[in-house]
Amino acid sequence: MERNELLGLTEREVAERRQRGEGENGGKRITKRRSQIVKDNVLTLFNFLNFLIAGLLFAVGAYSNMLFIAIVILNIIIGIAQEFKAKKLVDELSILNRPHVKVKRNNLEKSVDLEEVVKDDLLILESGDQLCSDAIVVEGMLEVNESLLTGESDAVVKEKGAPLLSGSSVVAGRAYARVTHVGDENYATKLANEVKKEKRIQSELLGSMRKVTRFTSALIIPLGILMFLEAFFLRNAAVDEAVISSAAALLGMLPKGLVLLISVSLAAGVIRLAKMKILVQNIFSLETLAHVDTLCLDKTGTITDGNLKVHSIIPMALFPQGEIDRLVQSYMAACDDHNATIRALKEKFPARAAYESVHKIQFSSKRKWGCVSFAEGTVFVGAPERMLDMVPENLMQQMEKGRRVVVIGYTGGIWTDGGALPVGIRPLYAVILEDTIRPHARETLEFFRKEGVDVKVISGDHITTVSQIARRAGLHGWRNAIDMSALGETANYDLLCQKYSVFARVTPKQKQELVKSLKRQGHQVAMTGDGVNDLLALREADCSIAVADGSDASRQIAQVVLLDSDFTNLPQVVMEGRKVIHNVTRTAQVFFIKTIYSVLVSLFCLLTNQAFPFIPIQITLIDACIEAYPSFLTIFESDTRRIKERFLPTAIAHAAPFAIAMTIIIALTSFETALPAREQQTVMYAYLVLISMAAVVKSCIPFSPLRAGICVTMALGTLGALALFPSLFEVTALSGGMISRILIGTVLSLILVAVLDVLRRLLNIGQGNGRRRAA
């Protein structure tokens, strides 16, 4: 190796490479730009239709009837503000995980951000470092864990000239490595970009609102034109009267606040989770995870935290106890290894340099042992099959339980031969190690079991290790384990998914096939992963979840990132999703009442050549006081019941009885000739107000102090506005006969609602299984 290569690049060389585009890009932006948030909230079809209607009302001078546009603008402002708040929290959390890299430049070591690395930079790699760029070893020796790439947990030795792939991590050694690829040319980034190709968002809420948007937009323009032409030519109405009447019908068809309600609810869930260090990169994944009925977990980094702990220590030789401990503690003090095994041993044998080391042979997974020599002798640490002539039965039993065994031995004199072990090593201790199960893992798996979520453990490790860890974590089906390496390419994945809960020695392609099979069987699948080897399966899953300790590539494509790398926080994400879906479904029922009756009444008016009975300002009062006010005050309630129904069928099925009853009572009233036109319109509007309020009251059952208060204030506010501003809302004072008529008509309408609701239940309309896959 020439000396100048070990000096690293100069600042000038770094600048030149960056100018040539040979620098890291620091990864893709997680959140939308502020301009994109504004655009997405302003440039919507609903807003276009609302502003179009407002423009027509303005053109005919119906200024008081334009009040609804203030609600639309307020909706836009609230939606933008909520998304800005969520973006700020998500951006702050994403910075916490930004990696730093140690490089050598101008013969000086320095730490830089990942985006500052350029091609040919000289990386300084030590135990515990993760490679963010492809490189090649130029000096030194490393043991590299490529489990994030391959799924295999055994370390691989990398010496001078050996390639290093991004996504792998150093478990032992120290070396200099020259960066060979940056940005999208990196191995891990290529894989990530391949699987990040645009994936259709699996969201029932989003899909449902698209259906509603398509339906209303297909109706609203032709229906509006027909109603205007009928009024102008057949009823000889003035232009302003025809516009106002048509506008009221069209406004009623638009569930203006519902889109905002969904986005605000999801954004609020994202904000609450961000405060728990759960990064939601796709806002609709909250909803998806709430529907999940199958959860696929990795072993390493998910159920376990990647660390080992000492289960027990078995003495193996008669030796002065104090002397043994001083030798082992001196080994720990002199040892340069930082892998999980050594860290666990140091917990039991704290490093203390009782003796001064004179020679070291670093532990290597290839030779499976390492040693430190002192003037008083040499201490060895290694695998039992290398340290012992024959492995005792008691140690074999421990290994069969999925535990690891390390033997500590001693021999007199100094040992310098790294290729072979000396004869006659005296075993001192057999140390039994086991993976550390995450706290609350058992409670988390029990939560999912009770909630009807089937948990599958999928790992690249040995079948005994994986099944035993599943047992310790509390997985009920831990015995149903299979070694996937023994299967051919023609494996029946559908049958395997039905029969087994634990899958070992799984390749990345097999992980993907398992997820595909589960989805074919109608399951909603969530997949957790931490490595590049999980990318294909993460992309295939309905909801992808990564842990912060894993690869940067897995974090990039995941919809949810657990920043504290603790899968036991997943129930919180499920609960937030359930809150959103239950609250939106409950409140959407009220919004859809107006949409349905507006369509039905408009069609009735077209067929009978009658004017739509309401004006825009009256519809605006319903929007503000009966729809928006109760909905936004109850949207943050905690309803975490298991989801058993689908959003759109449920919301429409619950809204339809009220809308149908409302249409019938309005149609019957329109044929009455006993009342003057103004009084007749007031009676119909009273029906509309009272039946709409009854729907809100029904949606608030069972009552809580908040819900009861909302119902009371809703009634007082709506009726108070009508009493204070009758001319603005164009209603007349109520006579005794009108009050009796209104009360009787409302009671009969609510009886009809009850009958229709019973029929709905008997026919099982809107009671679909919540597990059915979204279209």
Side-chain angles (χ1 to χ4, degrees), residues 48-88:
F48 168 74
L49 294 173
N50 277 304
F51 279 99
L52 178 62
I53 294 169
L56 293 173
L57 290 171
F58 181 82
V60 298
Y63 305 124
S64 62
N65 283 295
M66 291 176 59
L67 187 62
F68 72 92
I69 209 66
I71 297 176
V72 174
I73 293 172
L74 183 62
N75 284 351
I76 293 172
I77 293 171
I78 292 172
I80 291 173
Q82 191 77 340
E83 285 202 50
F84 275 4
K85 184 177 180 181
K87 170 185 168 60
K88 180 175 180 291

Side-chain angles (χ1 to χ4, degrees), residues 461-483:
D461 281 324
H462 190 273
I463 185 169
T464 302
T465 303
V466 181
S467 60
Q468 289 300 319
I469 284 174
R471 177 187 62 81
R472 290 172 52 210
L475 184 69
H476 279 228
W478 67 271
R479 289 186 180 87
N480 302 323
I482 183 171
D483 186 340

Side-chain angles (χ1 to χ4, degrees), residues 30 89-98 279 281 563:
I30 292 176
L89 273 173
V90 170
D91 285 345
E92 288 173 352
L93 285 178
S94 63
I95 289 173
L96 295 178
N97 251 5
R98 186 170 294 169
L279 177 61
Q281 301 190 118
L563 291 179

Side-chain angles (χ1 to χ4, degrees), residues 199-204 284-285 287-296 452-456 515-527 540-544 559 581 643 646 769-775:
K199 176 182 175 182
R200 189 167 67 93
I201 297 173
Q202 297 287 341
S203 167
E204 188 185 4
F284 289 100
S285 57
E287 172 205 349
T288 307
L289 193 54
H291 282 291
V292 159
D293 63 10
T294 304
L295 176 63
C296 299
V453 177
D454 186 20
V455 176
K456 308 283 188 185
V515 174
K516 281 184 177 180
S517 174
L518 289 166
K519 291 173 68 176
R520 277 198 305 272
Q521 296 173 50
H523 296 290
Q524 287 274 347
V525 183
M527 174 77 194
E540 198 65 45
D542 296 297
C543 184
S544 52
Q559 296 163 317
I581 294 171
I643 297 166
R646 291 180 295 152
N769 190 338
R771 287 187 177 182
R772 288 180 60 186
R773 297 191 61 80

Side-chain angles (χ1 to χ4, degrees), residues 406-480:
V406 171
V407 173
I408 301 174
Y410 168 83
T411 187
I414 298 172
W415 189 256
T416 59
D417 183 0
L421 283 167
V423 177
I425 294 178
R426 295 179 62 187
L428 305 176
Y429 290 126
V431 182
I432 313 301
L433 301 167
E434 63 182 9
D435 289 276
T436 305
I437 304 295
R438 289 192 182 277
H440 310 300
R442 182 176 292 272
E443 293 89 337
T444 302
L445 294 181
E446 182 62 18
F447 164 83
F448 284 117
R449 188 186 69 81
K450 288 181 178 178
E451 295 298 320
V453 177
D454 186 20
V455 176
K456 308 283 188 185
V457 178
I458 304 175
S459 175
D461 281 324
H462 190 273
I463 185 169
T464 302
T465 303
V466 181
S467 60
Q468 289 300 319
I469 284 174
R471 177 187 62 81
R472 290 172 52 210
L475 184 69
H476 279 228
W478 67 271
R479 289 186 180 87
N480 302 323

Side-chain angles (χ1 to χ4, degrees), residues 178-372:
R178 177 171 53 83
V179 174
T180 55
H181 295 126
V182 292
D184 291 341
E185 293 301 313
N186 280 319
Y187 175 76
T189 308
K190 281 182 179 179
L191 288 178
N193 288 340
E194 183 66 24
V195 299
K196 277 179 77 174
K197 290 176 181 177
E198 192 59 33
K199 176 182 175 182
R200 189 167 67 93
I201 297 173
Q202 297 287 341
S203 167
E204 188 185 4
L205 293 179
L206 183 62
S208 298
M209 290 314 301
R210 283 174 177 165
K211 289 178 183 177
V212 172
T213 302
R214 286 196 297 266
F215 174 76
T216 54
S217 59
L219 271 183
I220 199 167
I221 295 177
L223 203 57
I225 293 172
L226 288 174
M227 293 184 74
F228 174 81
L229 293 176
E230 184 181 70
F232 187 74
F233 289 106
L234 298 185
R235 294 198 303 275
N236 297 317
V239 173
D240 59 343
E241 182 182 337
V243 168
I244 291 171
S245 175
S246 303
L250 304 185
L251 282 174
M253 297 178 198
L254 297 172
K256 292 180 281 296
L258 188 55
V259 176
L260 173 69
L261 193 72
I262 292 172
S263 61
V264 167
S265 301
L266 290 169
V270 169
I271 290 170
R272 286 193 292 267
L273 290 173
K275 292 176 181 177
M276 292 183 268
K277 292 193 175 181
I278 299 172
L279 177 61
V280 180
Q281 301 190 118
N282 180 330
I283 196 168
F284 289 100
S285 57
L286 262 185
E287 172 205 349
T288 307
L289 193 54
H291 282 291
V292 159
D293 63 10
T294 304
L295 176 63
C296 299
L297 299 175
D298 192 12
K299 175 191 76 71
T300 305
T302 305
I303 296 178
T304 65
D305 61 10
N307 295 315
L308 296 172
K309 67 178 181 179
V310 175
H311 174 267
S312 58
I313 298 175
I314 303 173
M316 300 187 71
L318 294 175
F319 207 89
Q321 186 66 38
E323 185 65 17
I324 291 179
D325 290 344
R326 283 193 292 272
L327 283 168
V328 176
Q329 289 171 350
S330 297
Y331 178 98
M332 297 303 163
C335 177
D336 295 324
D337 295 321
H338 299 286
N339 55 49
T341 300
I342 296 299
R343 290 198 303 269
L345 291 175
K346 285 181 177 180
E347 288 288 323
K348 279 294 181 182
F349 303 100
R352 188 169 66 87
Y355 304 111
E356 185 176 350
S357 66
V358 295
H359 189 269
K360 301 180 211 176
I361 296 177
Q362 194 173 50
F363 183 92
S364 163
S365 59
K366 185 175 182 180
R367 58 176 167 257
K368 296 188 177 180
W369 62 270
C371 69
V372 177

